Amino acid sequence: LGGFVTKEQLLEVFGFDMEKYDLISSQITLDVSKVKRININSASVDDLNKHPYIDKKIAVKIFFQRVNKGNYSDVSDIQKLNLADEELYSKIAPYLTTE
């Protein structure tokens, strides 16, 4: 995943339920500066597809848009590709960069 950007992502971990979350959430701190980001201007399809939130179809579209149209100026540019709904975009965007 590359790190957690929200505490609520813990609920995606197998066996981690709301009861456990409620017990420890006040003790959890996040440092989003340590999140591993994927550069969408240099990543291969395989690099993109390694991320759990990015399936092969999305990885291919991100990659080929860059190959055909040039580098992305901002991560938000991938929204123009209609790859995902707003919920999925908000999940993957923190893990992407254009630098």
Side-chain angles (χ1 to χ4, degrees):
L1 188 60
F4 292 103
V5 294
T6 68
K7 292 179 185 182
E8 293 77 18
Q9 285 177 293
L10 288 169
L11 294 168
E12 297 174 19
V13 174
F14 179 78
F16 198 95
D17 58 20
M18 189 56 114
E19 183 178 337
K20 291 174 186 163
Y21 177 82
D22 288 339
L23 284 172
I24 67 165
S25 67
S26 64
Q27 300 169 39
I28 298 170
T29 59
L30 300 172
D31 185 352
V32 294
S33 70
K34 295 185 179 189
V35 170
K36 182 179 177 189
R37 290 180 170 78
I38 302 167
N39 186 334
I40 58 175
N41 285 327
S42 61
S44 68
V45 171
D46 288 337
D47 292 335
L48 292 162
N49 189 224
K50 286 178 185 173
H51 194 280
Y53 293 154
I54 303 174
D55 65 22
K56 185 80 165 194
K57 179 180 172 183
I58 291 173
V60 166
K61 286 186 177 183
I62 290 171
F63 176 81
F64 281 107
Q65 179 72 11
R66 182 186 81 225
V67 168
N68 292 325
K69 303 284 185 176
N71 283 351
Y72 296 95
S73 60
D74 191 76
V75 170
S76 64
D77 291 345
I78 68 170
Q79 286 182 297
K80 299 172 190 169
L81 304 176
N82 296 318
L83 300 174
D85 59 23
E86 185 61 34
E87 182 181 352
L88 181 57
Y89 172 76
S90 66
K91 285 176 77 171
I92 65 176
Y95 296 98
L96 304 177
T97 185
T98 55
E99 299 174 4

